[in-house]
Amino acid sequence: MATAAGPRQTGADQDDKGGVRTALAGLTTRGRSFLAAGVAAAGCAYVLGQSDLLRVGLLLAVLPLICATVLYRTRHRVAGSRRLSPARVPAGAEARVHLRMDNVSRLPTGLLMLQDRVPYVLGPRPRFVLDRVEPGGRREVSYRVRSDLRGRYPLGPLQLRLTDPFGMCELTRSFSTYDTLTVIPRVEPLPPVRFSGEAKGYGEGRQRSLALAGEDDVIPRGYRHGDDLRRVHWRSTARYGELMVRREEQPQRARCTVLLDTRGVAFHGAGPDSAFEWAVGGTASVLVHMLERGFSVRLLTDTGSSVPGEGAEGFAGTSHQSSDAAGLMMDTLAVIDHSDGTGLSRAYDVLRGGNEGLLVAFFGDLDEEQATVVAKMRQRIGGAVAFVLDGSAWGREATDVPGAADGSEERLRMLREAGWTIVPVPRGAALQDLWRQADRDRSGVVTAGDTSGEGRS
């Protein structure tokens, strides 16, 4: 959902649904007490033959009924709208929700109580009391929401309570629409480093895709603001009736695939400080970092699903698509959860299709079979960096297994021999420090035997 105001919510009309039963159900404790006291006084007056007590009883009984009838029959027309600022926030950050009420009827309203439904993880349910709203008038209120847990949270529907001046009756009207707040993982800024990879980014050593340069073979495109007028192709302009320019050689954007292991068996614990949440936050940080560096980026999971799924072989395309691609990937990470799979073969099937440029992976525990699959991923990758979360440090289960640490070290050694840059992730480690460590380790690998060029990341 965009950060602009959502669709106007109308429908707070006092219609005839429910009839008298609805009006009587809205009696407050005060109204019910008056009604009960009036009936009791009238009954005593009838038994005792006291006409004065009978008049008092009738007054007490009729007053709440009159208030309920008048409140129910009064046709208040109130329109409400909600605006989120912003509609997508990182975990732990605050968003402000702005509510606006407009009295679109010709009558002033009485005392209004406004209540918005929010999930408990966002905080307490906000309530506001609005004084009399004049015809054509408006009232604006706001409240803040915050969540340490990523996800998508519905806000609404908005509820409006109408009451009479004596407090005898309250009627509740609910609007029909709601908005959604998206809480994305925290993004940690990463320092610029240099990793080795076959596909080069913008800058030195960049590859280019050449346009057909012949006069007869030229492929023109429509003129865009800022294009050099010397590139205008007049023959195509005359043919199509609009200004056309020649395509020139275009720089080929470096590719980067960020692989997130979501297997439930690979992670231990739950909550904001769990290993899986660290991996999700690290994935989000690397995705944003690579997009800012001009890479064509995609998100890949162990299930083989790729985001974005369209464009050049599933990668985020040109620079004007980077913002949309980043939003789509952040929305995916906001709701991603453990998968039921136990292997990484589906991700390997996606990666073995061709040259993927740079691969940055976040893995949980790897057994011998999955370590073998990960080692094969390196064959068609220009550069490969893996952050492996140590189960013995993040969960208690692995510490109780004899020889678990030795087996883990052996598997990591096998991945290093296959060409991976392996960075073990201890509990509570900062991604910035590990990112620099990966740069230092990768530089050592390149110096030892990697002769391929470097792409800035």
Side-chain angles (χ1 to χ4, degrees), residues 69-407:
T69 303
V70 172
L71 183 63
Y72 184 79
R73 299 292 296 178
T74 302
R75 304 191 62 85
H76 293 306
R77 294 184 56 87
V78 182
S81 62
R82 182 190 298 104
R83 178 171 57 88
L84 304 182
S85 178
R88 183 189 292 120
V89 296
E94 289 186 345
R96 183 167 288 275
V97 183
H98 301 268
L99 302 177
R100 172 177 166 177
M101 302 300 300
D102 295 274
N103 183 11
V104 296
S105 67
R106 298 180 180 180
L107 298 175
T109 67
L111 193 66
L112 304 178
M113 190 176 78
L114 198 62
Q115 177 177 277
D116 205 9
R117 291 186 179 179
V118 299
Y120 71 94
V121 296
L122 298 182
R125 181 171 295 182
R127 293 181 176 90
F128 304 93
V129 177
L130 304 180
D131 293 333
R132 175 180 178 274
V133 182
E134 65 278 4
R138 73 174 64 165
R139 295 292 185 271
E140 294 184 4
V141 294
S142 64
Y143 64 93
R144 294 177 295 181
V145 291
R146 178 181 179 275
S147 175
D148 292 328
L149 300 175
R150 57 184 177 83
R152 292 173 63 87
Y153 301 101
L155 299 178
L158 195 63
Q159 290 184 335
L160 187 65
R161 286 189 181 181
L162 307 174
T163 183
D164 65 283
F166 300 101
M168 299 288 181
C169 183
E170 286 184 354
L171 295 181
T172 302
R173 292 293 182 264
S174 296
F175 297 102
S176 59
T177 61
Y178 63 91
D179 295 314
T180 302
L181 175 68
T182 302
V183 180
I184 63 176
R186 293 186 183 95
V187 175
E188 184 176 350
L190 301 179
V193 299
R194 299 177 67 90
F195 287 129
S196 172
E198 293 180 2
K200 312 301 184 292
Y202 294 145
E204 56 187 38
R206 61 188 176 187
Q207 298 176 348
R208 290 180 177 268
S209 58
L210 299 178
L212 300 177
E215 182 68 20
D216 296 333
D217 296 331
V218 66
I219 302 177
R221 62 168 174 82
Y223 174 82
R224 298 172 184 169
H225 180 70
D227 286 339
D228 190 349
L229 293 178
R230 291 174 295 182
R231 294 170 52 195
V232 174
H233 191 254
W234 298 109
R235 179 179 298 178
S236 299
T237 299
R239 177 183 302 173
Y240 294 104
E242 59 177 331
L243 203 58
M244 308 291 289
V245 296
R246 295 188 302 272
R247 293 179 183 268
E248 296 181 351
E249 58 180 12
Q250 301 294 330
Q252 180 178 347
R253 292 162 60 89
R255 290 181 174 182
C256 176
T257 298
V258 183
L259 172 60
L260 175 61
D261 182 7
T262 64
R263 296 172 299 139
V265 297
F267 295 93
H268 306 286
D273 298 328
S274 64
F276 182 68
E277 292 302 322
W278 192 97
V280 173
T283 301
S285 301
V286 173
L287 287 171
V288 173
H289 176 75
M290 290 300 181
L291 284 172
E292 292 175 348
R293 296 294 168 181
F295 278 68
S296 291
V297 182
R298 72 171 172 180
L299 169 65
L300 180 65
T301 66
D302 59 289
T303 61
S305 61
S306 177
V307 181
E310 301 177 356
E313 300 180 8
F315 287 84
T318 57
S319 57
H320 72 274
Q321 296 175 335
S322 297
S323 178
D324 295 338
L328 180 59
M329 288 185 284
M330 290 299 105
D331 289 345
T332 302
L333 291 176
V335 297
I336 200 167
D337 201 355
H338 291 294
S339 66
D340 297 331
T342 58
L344 299 167
S345 57
R346 293 183 180 179
Y348 169 70
D349 292 339
V350 176
L351 293 172
R352 71 178 181 178
N355 180 15
E356 303 296 330
L358 177 65
L359 173 62
V360 180
F362 290 84
F363 293 118
D365 290 337
L366 297 173
D367 56 23
E368 185 175 356
E369 179 182 357
Q370 301 313 315
T372 303
V373 175
V374 173
K376 288 195 230 178
M377 294 180 182
R378 181 62 179 85
Q379 298 175 359
R380 293 183 176 272
I381 300 298
V385 180
F387 297 90
V388 182
L389 279 72
D390 187 1
S392 61
W394 287 89
R396 297 180 180 178
E397 294 84 349
T399 60
D400 300 332
V401 180
D406 296 338

